[in-house]
Amino acid sequence: MSKEFRFGIVAGLAQDAAAWTATARRAEDLGYSTLLVPDTLATLPPLLAMTAAATVTTRLRVGTFVLAAPYRNPPQLAHELAGLDFLSGGRLEVGVGAGRPAAEEEARALGMPYGTAGERVALVRSVIGEVRAAFAGSRTTVQRQGPPILVAGAGRRMLALAAEEADIVALAVPADTPEDGLRGPVGTLRELAGARFDDIELSMNLLQVGDEPPPWVPEGLRTTSADAAAVLRGSPREMADTLLRRRDELGLSYITVNGFFADALAPVAELLAGH
């Protein structure tokens, strides 16, 4: 059976603390399931931002999108995430990955070794194991079975890890990937996960909702292919139908978008609530 739709917004910047907590309240008021915080040195520290967001909301789940495994010591990170689960009342989700293209420079700035691709994938596995162990052994966590684990990836190596360990898999494909180009990574995950595939929630992050590109995209790069899967256009009903078709054909049911487009996607989320 198809999974019910969930929608999340990705945000990590604010003018001040009041603006940040207002973002969290707005996400909850609009009916979003999650507020997801990226892990970069140019955005708010994710665990601190998530804690602040959790304290001013009651239903909104908070998560990372995604923690760069090379930046942190896995046991210490797991301990802090267990505390965040307690403070959020069990509303924590943990996204973890091997690092963005700029992650090597940021890891160096943090004084952490970056490692080879294989070492970083092994570190992702280590983080997941430490998180689950910390939650199982904690007296304060609410989600004693551990938080939902999201793994972002599109290559076979990360998808193999996700097939074994992830509750949620975010397809980390290039922004100009056409819808048909999603079939490859989904098919690979299905092959690697076997019977476990039906238990995995598939996610995709949208670059743009509507006809206006996001303001942070440089002027010369604002022409996005009309068939790019990361761009959702049309009326709310048309956009909802596109997402329904993708869920039926590919299994994509967890849709995330930058907070800039939270209001634009909200009518679509409302149409698909409970579906």
Side-chain angles (χ1 to χ4, degrees):
M1 290 183 61
S2 296
K3 291 180 172 56
E4 282 193 11
F5 278 103
R6 286 204 302 152
F7 293 85
I9 70 167
V10 181
L13 293 171
Q15 291 181 335
D16 52 34
W20 175 249
T21 53
T23 295
R25 291 192 186 99
R26 179 66 173 160
E28 184 167 76
D29 290 345
L30 287 172
Y32 283 93
S33 169
T34 49
L35 172 61
L36 303 167
V37 185
D39 189 16
T40 81
L41 296 188
T43 49
L44 291 168
L47 273 59
L48 296 177
M50 291 156 61
T51 302
T55 59
V56 297
T57 55
T58 57
R59 301 180 309 280
L60 187 72
R61 298 182 67 81
V62 292
T64 51
F65 197 76
V66 295
L67 287 170
Y71 290 3
R72 295 175 179 83
N73 172 277
Q76 179 182 358
L77 173 61
H79 172 69
E80 293 177 356
L81 288 169
L84 204 165
D85 187 64
F86 170 75
L87 293 172
S88 69
R91 289 182 281 141
L92 175 68
E93 298 185 6
V94 177
V96 60
R100 305 161 9 264
E104 183 170 8
E105 183 178 340
E106 293 190 350
R108 190 181 303 116
L110 292 168
M112 298 295 289
Y114 191 61
T116 65
E119 288 169 340
R120 296 196 308 276
V121 171
L123 194 55
V124 171
R125 189 183 297 275
S126 175
V127 168
I128 294 171
E130 291 287 352
V131 167
R132 289 190 169 136
F135 275 64
S138 173
R139 297 178 181 178
T140 58
T141 53
V142 180
Q143 301 180 99
R144 293 300 297 275
Q145 78 284 4
I149 300 290
L150 178 150
V151 171
R156 192 173 184 89
R157 191 181 315 209
M158 282 299 293
L159 289 176
L161 186 153
E164 295 179 26
E165 301 286 357
D167 302 295
I168 308 162
V169 176
L171 299 181
V173 296
D176 59 353
T177 300
E179 185 171 314
D180 208 48
L182 303 177
R183 298 184 187 278
V186 171
T188 299
L189 180 65
R190 182 185 294 275
E191 169 202 337
L192 294 168
R196 204 177 161 268
F197 180 80
D198 291 336
D199 296 327
I200 296 172
E201 187 177 37
L202 286 182
S203 179
M204 181 176 179
N205 188 52
L206 299 174
L207 171 71
Q208 177 181 324
V209 178
D211 295 323
E212 287 299 314
W216 58 86
V217 175
E219 197 70 39
L221 301 176
R222 290 194 170 196
T223 304
T224 309
S225 172
D227 64 349
V231 177
L232 203 58
R233 294 189 175 95
S235 67
R237 183 67 262 171
E238 290 168 334
M239 289 190 277
D241 288 343
T242 295
L243 295 180
L244 279 165
R245 177 172 48 75
R246 289 180 184 175
R247 186 187 63 178
D248 292 344
E249 295 179 3
L250 299 169
L252 289 162
S253 61
Y254 184 16
I255 309 302
T256 62
V257 71
N258 187 279
F260 179 81
F261 291 108
D263 287 295
L265 189 63
V268 182
E270 185 176 4
L271 284 171
L272 293 177
H275 291 273

